[in-house]
Every structure is written in C-alpha cells, then in structure tokens.
Amino acid sequence: AKLSVSLPDDLVRDLKDVAHGNVSAFVTAAVRNELDRLRLQAFVAELEDEVGPVDETEAARYSAMLATDTWASSWIAAAALA
C-alpha cells in the first residue's frame, strides 16, 4: 500500500542520508519499531495495573544479568534487528 506523508525538509535530508536509497524500507522499519514500542508500553501498563509497579531494584538486577550474559545480549540485539 502507498501512503503519502509530509515531513520537514531537514528530516527528509537526514532520512535520505541514512536510508541508502531505500526510504520505504527505512520508514517501514521505523514505523514497525514505534508501533512495537507503543504496544509494549501498553502491555507494561496493563501488567502494572494487575500486579503493581515494577520494582526498580529488581529491574536493574535483571538488566545487569542480561548485560553480562553474552548469549542473552546477542539474542536481544538480534531480536531488536528483526
């Protein structure tokens, strides 16, 4: 499907610089990532409504564990690119 959007000139210049000739693919990935991020935010909000807010100490502990786990880090990086 085709969609027409208006963007500021500076954003179009930056987009063309980084899209390497495939603006549609770049915009598709950006929109997909933003929609995924919004869905994840909604999911987290729903979980917080059900079980309460995230324990920041626990979140930091698990983040540190994932950051030091080579397999987990590479899996997360690969998932982010998908």
Side-chain angles (χ1 to χ4, degrees), residues 58-75:
E58 284 294 300
R61 186 170 74 91
Y62 285 109
S63 291
M65 285 171 49
L66 287 172
T68 59
D69 184 332
T70 305
W71 177 85
S73 297
S74 63
W75 183 84

Side-chain angles (χ1 to χ4, degrees), residues 7-8 11 14 17 20-21 24-25 30-31 34 40 48 58 64-65 68-70 72-73 75:
L7 300 170
L11 188 58
D14 291 346
D17 286 344
H20 305 292
S24 291
V31 170
E34 180 64 10
L40 181 58
E48 286 180 338
E58 284 294 300
M65 285 171 49
T68 59
D69 184 332
T70 305
S73 297
W75 183 84

